[in-house]
Amino acid sequence: GSEEDGEVSLPLQPKITITDAISNVQKLRQFLSTCVGVPDTVFGQLNGIDEYLMRKVTQTLVDSKITDLLQT
């Protein structure tokens, strides 16, 4: 088995939804805005993550609507 090969199996993590991820980015941004000395680049990176997640949400919505149209 895999344990004999020295592999360690990690417990399964619950799936995080994209809505949860967006909410967590917003919480992290809020937290960091209360901290002193956070470089602007950190906020820029958070903005990039937020934009990526929003594109994923938009793409998911577009894909599901196209699929709905094809099924009718």
PDB file of all heavy atoms in Angstrom, residues 3-4 11 14-15 17 26 38-39 43 45 48 53 55 62 66 68-70:
ATOM      1  N   GLU A   3       1.157   3.439   2.329  1.00  0.00           N
ATOM      2  CA  GLU A   3       1.826   3.671   3.605  1.00  0.00           C
ATOM      3  C   GLU A   3       3.146   2.914   3.655  1.00  0.00           C
ATOM      4  O   GLU A   3       4.112   3.376   4.235  1.00  0.00           O
ATOM      5  CB  GLU A   3       0.924   3.266   4.764  1.00  0.00           C
ATOM      6  CG  GLU A   3      -0.249   4.218   4.946  1.00  0.00           C
ATOM      7  CD  GLU A   3      -1.142   3.828   6.110  1.00  0.00           C
ATOM      8  OE1 GLU A   3      -0.651   3.124   7.017  1.00  0.00           O
ATOM      9  OE2 GLU A   3      -2.299   4.208   6.107  1.00  0.00           O
ATOM     10  N   GLU A   4       3.198   1.758   3.012  1.00  0.00           N
ATOM     11  CA  GLU A   4       4.429   0.981   2.983  1.00  0.00           C
ATOM     12  C   GLU A   4       5.495   1.682   2.154  1.00  0.00           C
ATOM     13  O   GLU A   4       6.676   1.513   2.384  1.00  0.00           O
ATOM     14  CB  GLU A   4       4.150  -0.415   2.412  1.00  0.00           C
ATOM     15  CG  GLU A   4       3.279  -1.260   3.316  1.00  0.00           C
ATOM     16  CD  GLU A   4       2.896  -2.573   2.658  1.00  0.00           C
ATOM     17  OE1 GLU A   4       3.379  -2.854   1.549  1.00  0.00           O
ATOM     18  OE2 GLU A   4       2.111  -3.315   3.254  1.00  0.00           O
ATOM     19  N   PRO A  11      -5.670  14.113   5.373  1.00  0.00           N
ATOM     20  CA  PRO A  11      -7.128  14.075   5.420  1.00  0.00           C
ATOM     21  C   PRO A  11      -7.713  14.992   4.345  1.00  0.00           C
ATOM     22  O   PRO A  11      -7.118  16.013   3.989  1.00  0.00           O
ATOM     23  CB  PRO A  11      -7.458  14.592   6.823  1.00  0.00           C
ATOM     24  CG  PRO A  11      -6.247  15.326   7.267  1.00  0.00           C
ATOM     25  CD  PRO A  11      -5.091  14.709   6.543  1.00  0.00           C
ATOM     26  N   PRO A  14     -12.388  20.081   3.243  1.00  0.00           N
ATOM     27  CA  PRO A  14     -13.684  20.420   2.650  1.00  0.00           C
ATOM     28  C   PRO A  14     -13.481  21.377   1.484  1.00  0.00           C
ATOM     29  O   PRO A  14     -12.569  22.204   1.497  1.00  0.00           O
ATOM     30  CB  PRO A  14     -14.444  21.100   3.792  1.00  0.00           C
ATOM     31  CG  PRO A  14     -13.400  21.529   4.762  1.00  0.00           C
ATOM     32  CD  PRO A  14     -12.244  20.586   4.589  1.00  0.00           C
ATOM     33  N   LYS A  15     -14.317  21.244   0.465  1.00  0.00           N
ATOM     34  CA  LYS A  15     -14.195  22.103  -0.710  1.00  0.00           C
ATOM     35  C   LYS A  15     -14.609  23.524  -0.347  1.00  0.00           C
ATOM     36  O   LYS A  15     -15.625  23.741   0.302  1.00  0.00           O
ATOM     37  CB  LYS A  15     -15.072  21.578  -1.837  1.00  0.00           C
ATOM     38  CG  LYS A  15     -14.899  22.359  -3.107  1.00  0.00           C
ATOM     39  CD  LYS A  15     -15.633  21.754  -4.252  1.00  0.00           C
ATOM     40  CE  LYS A  15     -15.374  22.630  -5.476  1.00  0.00           C
ATOM     41  NZ  LYS A  15     -16.058  22.133  -6.637  1.00  0.00           N
ATOM     42  N   THR A  17     -15.862  27.054  -1.673  1.00  0.00           N
ATOM     43  CA  THR A  17     -16.529  27.610  -2.842  1.00  0.00           C
ATOM     44  C   THR A  17     -15.840  28.901  -3.261  1.00  0.00           C
ATOM     45  O   THR A  17     -15.120  29.522  -2.482  1.00  0.00           O
ATOM     46  CB  THR A  17     -18.003  27.907  -2.553  1.00  0.00           C
ATOM     47  OG1 THR A  17     -18.086  28.954  -1.569  1.00  0.00           O
ATOM     48  CG2 THR A  17     -18.734  26.662  -2.044  1.00  0.00           C
ATOM     49  N   GLN A  26     -11.595  39.376   0.929  1.00  0.00           N
ATOM     50  CA  GLN A  26     -12.086  40.638   1.490  1.00  0.00           C
ATOM     51  C   GLN A  26     -11.745  40.746   2.978  1.00  0.00           C
ATOM     52  O   GLN A  26     -11.340  41.812   3.450  1.00  0.00           O
ATOM     53  CB  GLN A  26     -13.593  40.764   1.269  1.00  0.00           C
ATOM     54  CG  GLN A  26     -13.964  40.955  -0.187  1.00  0.00           C
ATOM     55  CD  GLN A  26     -15.459  40.843  -0.440  1.00  0.00           C
ATOM     56  OE1 GLN A  26     -16.224  40.419   0.422  1.00  0.00           O
ATOM     57  NE2 GLN A  26     -15.875  41.199  -1.640  1.00  0.00           N
ATOM     58  N   VAL A  38       2.145  47.582   6.025  1.00  0.00           N
ATOM     59  CA  VAL A  38       1.922  46.585   4.976  1.00  0.00           C
ATOM     60  C   VAL A  38       2.263  47.240   3.633  1.00  0.00           C
ATOM     61  O   VAL A  38       1.709  48.292   3.292  1.00  0.00           O
ATOM     62  CB  VAL A  38       0.452  46.097   4.971  1.00  0.00           C
ATOM     63  CG1 VAL A  38       0.219  45.112   3.844  1.00  0.00           C
ATOM     64  CG2 VAL A  38       0.097  45.474   6.315  1.00  0.00           C
ATOM     65  N   PRO A  39       3.154  46.648   2.871  1.00  0.00           N
ATOM     66  CA  PRO A  39       3.545  47.241   1.588  1.00  0.00           C
ATOM     67  C   PRO A  39       2.357  47.294   0.608  1.00  0.00           C
ATOM     68  O   PRO A  39       1.492  46.420   0.615  1.00  0.00           O
ATOM     69  CB  PRO A  39       4.625  46.307   1.049  1.00  0.00           C
ATOM     70  CG  PRO A  39       5.050  45.475   2.203  1.00  0.00           C
ATOM     71  CD  PRO A  39       3.904  45.426   3.161  1.00  0.00           C
ATOM     72  N   PHE A  43      -1.307  44.691  -1.196  1.00  0.00           N
ATOM     73  CA  PHE A  43      -2.667  45.031  -1.583  1.00  0.00           C
ATOM     74  C   PHE A  43      -2.854  44.854  -3.094  1.00  0.00           C
ATOM     75  O   PHE A  43      -3.924  44.445  -3.549  1.00  0.00           O
ATOM     76  CB  PHE A  43      -3.027  46.450  -1.140  1.00  0.00           C
ATOM     77  CG  PHE A  43      -3.208  46.561   0.343  1.00  0.00           C
ATOM     78  CD1 PHE A  43      -2.201  47.104   1.130  1.00  0.00           C
ATOM     79  CD2 PHE A  43      -4.362  46.104   0.963  1.00  0.00           C
ATOM     80  CE1 PHE A  43      -2.349  47.195   2.512  1.00  0.00           C
ATOM     81  CE2 PHE A  43      -4.519  46.186   2.332  1.00  0.00           C
ATOM     82  CZ  PHE A  43      -3.510  46.730   3.106  1.00  0.00           C
ATOM     83  N   GLN A  45      -1.360  42.575  -4.865  1.00  0.00           N
ATOM     84  CA  GLN A  45      -1.507  41.137  -5.066  1.00  0.00           C
ATOM     85  C   GLN A  45      -2.910  40.675  -4.696  1.00  0.00           C
ATOM     86  O   GLN A  45      -3.506  39.846  -5.387  1.00  0.00           O
ATOM     87  CB  GLN A  45      -0.449  40.391  -4.264  1.00  0.00           C
ATOM     88  CG  GLN A  45       0.951  40.615  -4.817  1.00  0.00           C
ATOM     89  CD  GLN A  45       2.039  40.144  -3.867  1.00  0.00           C
ATOM     90  OE1 GLN A  45       1.834  40.020  -2.670  1.00  0.00           O
ATOM     91  NE2 GLN A  45       3.218  39.907  -4.419  1.00  0.00           N
ATOM     92  N   GLY A  48      -5.172  41.517  -7.452  1.00  0.00           N
ATOM     93  CA  GLY A  48      -5.015  40.560  -8.538  1.00  0.00           C
ATOM     94  C   GLY A  48      -5.764  39.264  -8.274  1.00  0.00           C
ATOM     95  O   GLY A  48      -6.417  38.715  -9.168  1.00  0.00           O
ATOM     96  N   LEU A  53     -10.590  35.831  -9.235  1.00  0.00           N
ATOM     97  CA  LEU A  53     -11.783  35.139  -8.740  1.00  0.00           C
ATOM     98  C   LEU A  53     -13.054  35.682  -9.391  1.00  0.00           C
ATOM     99  O   LEU A  53     -13.959  34.911  -9.737  1.00  0.00           O
ATOM    100  CB  LEU A  53     -11.871  35.255  -7.216  1.00  0.00           C
ATOM    101  CG  LEU A  53     -10.784  34.515  -6.433  1.00  0.00           C
ATOM    102  CD1 LEU A  53     -10.865  34.852  -4.955  1.00  0.00           C
ATOM    103  CD2 LEU A  53     -10.882  33.014  -6.651  1.00  0.00           C
ATOM    104  N   ARG A  55     -13.273  36.990 -12.381  1.00  0.00           N
ATOM    105  CA  ARG A  55     -13.318  36.470 -13.748  1.00  0.00           C
ATOM    106  C   ARG A  55     -13.821  35.032 -13.756  1.00  0.00           C
ATOM    107  O   ARG A  55     -14.578  34.630 -14.640  1.00  0.00           O
ATOM    108  CB  ARG A  55     -11.931  36.542 -14.400  1.00  0.00           C
ATOM    109  CG  ARG A  55     -11.569  37.917 -14.922  1.00  0.00           C
ATOM    110  CD  ARG A  55     -10.344  37.884 -15.843  1.00  0.00           C
ATOM    111  NE  ARG A  55      -9.189  37.218 -15.283  1.00  0.00           N
ATOM    112  CZ  ARG A  55      -8.232  37.804 -14.565  1.00  0.00           C
ATOM    113  NH1 ARG A  55      -8.293  39.091 -14.310  1.00  0.00           N
ATOM    114  NH2 ARG A  55      -7.213  37.099 -14.109  1.00  0.00           N
ATOM    115  N   VAL A  62     -21.323  32.510 -17.383  1.00  0.00           N
ATOM    116  CA  VAL A  62     -21.471  32.493 -18.837  1.00  0.00           C
ATOM    117  C   VAL A  62     -21.542  31.052 -19.331  1.00  0.00           C
ATOM    118  O   VAL A  62     -22.415  30.710 -20.133  1.00  0.00           O
ATOM    119  CB  VAL A  62     -20.300  33.242 -19.511  1.00  0.00           C
ATOM    120  CG1 VAL A  62     -20.271  32.992 -21.014  1.00  0.00           C
ATOM    121  CG2 VAL A  62     -20.398  34.729 -19.220  1.00  0.00           C
ATOM    122  N   ILE A  66     -24.769  29.251 -21.287  1.00  0.00           N
ATOM    123  CA  ILE A  66     -24.626  28.666 -22.614  1.00  0.00           C
ATOM    124  C   ILE A  66     -25.086  27.212 -22.576  1.00  0.00           C
ATOM    125  O   ILE A  66     -25.810  26.762 -23.456  1.00  0.00           O
ATOM    126  CB  ILE A  66     -23.173  28.783 -23.118  1.00  0.00           C
ATOM    127  CG1 ILE A  66     -22.852  30.254 -23.421  1.00  0.00           C
ATOM    128  CG2 ILE A  66     -22.934  27.898 -24.332  1.00  0.00           C
ATOM    129  CD1 ILE A  66     -21.403  30.507 -23.733  1.00  0.00           C
ATOM    130  N   ASP A  68     -27.243  25.920 -20.504  1.00  0.00           N
ATOM    131  CA  ASP A  68     -28.706  25.927 -20.379  1.00  0.00           C
ATOM    132  C   ASP A  68     -29.368  26.139 -21.743  1.00  0.00           C
ATOM    133  O   ASP A  68     -30.371  25.505 -22.060  1.00  0.00           O
ATOM    134  CB  ASP A  68     -29.165  27.018 -19.401  1.00  0.00           C
ATOM    135  CG  ASP A  68     -28.753  26.710 -17.967  1.00  0.00           C
ATOM    136  OD1 ASP A  68     -28.405  25.539 -17.678  1.00  0.00           O
ATOM    137  OD2 ASP A  68     -28.778  27.644 -17.142  1.00  0.00           O
ATOM    138  N   LEU A  69     -28.813  27.055 -22.545  1.00  0.00           N
ATOM    139  CA  LEU A  69     -29.392  27.324 -23.857  1.00  0.00           C
ATOM    140  C   LEU A  69     -29.281  26.114 -24.773  1.00  0.00           C
ATOM    141  O   LEU A  69     -30.202  25.825 -25.550  1.00  0.00           O
ATOM    142  CB  LEU A  69     -28.688  28.521 -24.512  1.00  0.00           C
ATOM    143  CG  LEU A  69     -29.004  29.890 -23.930  1.00  0.00           C
ATOM    144  CD1 LEU A  69     -28.105  30.947 -24.564  1.00  0.00           C
ATOM    145  CD2 LEU A  69     -30.464  30.251 -24.160  1.00  0.00           C
ATOM    146  N   LEU A  70     -28.163  25.403 -24.688  1.00  0.00           N
ATOM    147  CA  LEU A  70     -27.963  24.250 -25.557  1.00  0.00           C
ATOM    148  C   LEU A  70     -28.888  23.087 -25.174  1.00  0.00           C
ATOM    149  O   LEU A  70     -29.210  22.259 -26.018  1.00  0.00           O
ATOM    150  CB  LEU A  70     -26.510  23.794 -25.507  1.00  0.00           C
ATOM    151  CG  LEU A  70     -25.496  24.781 -26.104  1.00  0.00           C
ATOM    152  CD1 LEU A  70     -24.087  24.270 -25.867  1.00  0.00           C
ATOM    153  CD2 LEU A  70     -25.747  25.010 -27.574  1.00  0.00           C
TER     154      LEU A  70
END
